[in-house]
Amino acid sequence: SLPAVELRAGMHRIEAMAALTHAQRALGLMHRREMADHQGMLFVFEQAQVQCFWMKNTYLPLTIAFVADDGTIVNLADMQPHSLESHCSTRPVRYALEMNRGWFARRGIAAGFTLSGGPFGR
């Protein structure tokens, strides 16, 4: 049971589980079989650096948004279940938000869009 944080992507509400510790980030969404459309996981790191993710033991197809301190999406990547392929931020970031694959695209959200709520204020 991780702490929840409410984020907004324009008019869209996101209920994100916050992975704050190394152990929470390492486990991520592994072993989950389903996740509601408005839910996701926000990974919070201690310092900005290039962050990379893979999908070992993860059953859900996901899209990851790498997010700057001000809430701006730096880049997005679609990730395949169980893949060991690395998906990395294009520049140093402290945040990454995983949502069901296609969530951002279906809402017209791309790199440069700014999230609000939680650590991003507003």
Side-chain angles (χ1 to χ4, degrees):
S1 67
L2 300 176
V5 59
E6 185 173 320
L7 305 175
R8 297 202 69 78
M11 61 186 255
H12 306 286
R13 180 182 164 277
I14 301 166
E15 183 182 304
M17 297 165 281
L20 306 172
T21 68
H22 176 74
Q24 291 168 341
R25 291 188 301 264
L27 182 59
L29 291 171
M30 284 183 182
H31 309 294
R32 285 193 62 158
R33 300 285 181 158
E34 59 184 30
M35 182 169 65
D37 193 53
H38 70 283
Q39 291 181 326
M41 179 167 278
L42 180 67
F43 294 82
V44 180
F45 295 89
E46 290 80 16
Q47 60 187 14
Q49 58 188 11
V50 171
Q51 307 295 346
C52 295
F53 286 71
W54 63 353
M55 295 284 286
K56 183 177 181 180
N57 298 320
T58 305
Y59 292 89
L60 300 171
L62 300 171
T63 300
I64 190 165
F66 295 99
V67 186
D69 282 357
D70 68 355
T72 302
I73 295 174
V74 172
N75 64 294
L76 296 133
D78 288 336
M79 303 188 297
Q80 298 294 327
H82 304 291
S83 172
L84 300 182
E85 179 184 357
S86 284
H87 300 277
C88 301
S89 60
T90 56
R91 68 174 211 229
V93 296
R94 286 193 330 122
Y95 302 98
L97 175 62
E98 289 181 339
M99 299 292 290
N100 287 309
R101 187 169 55 209
W103 189 93
F104 297 99
R106 287 190 300 276
R107 289 158 180 80
I109 297 170
F113 190 95
T114 302
L115 302 174
S116 61
F120 312 121
R122 297 186 290 292

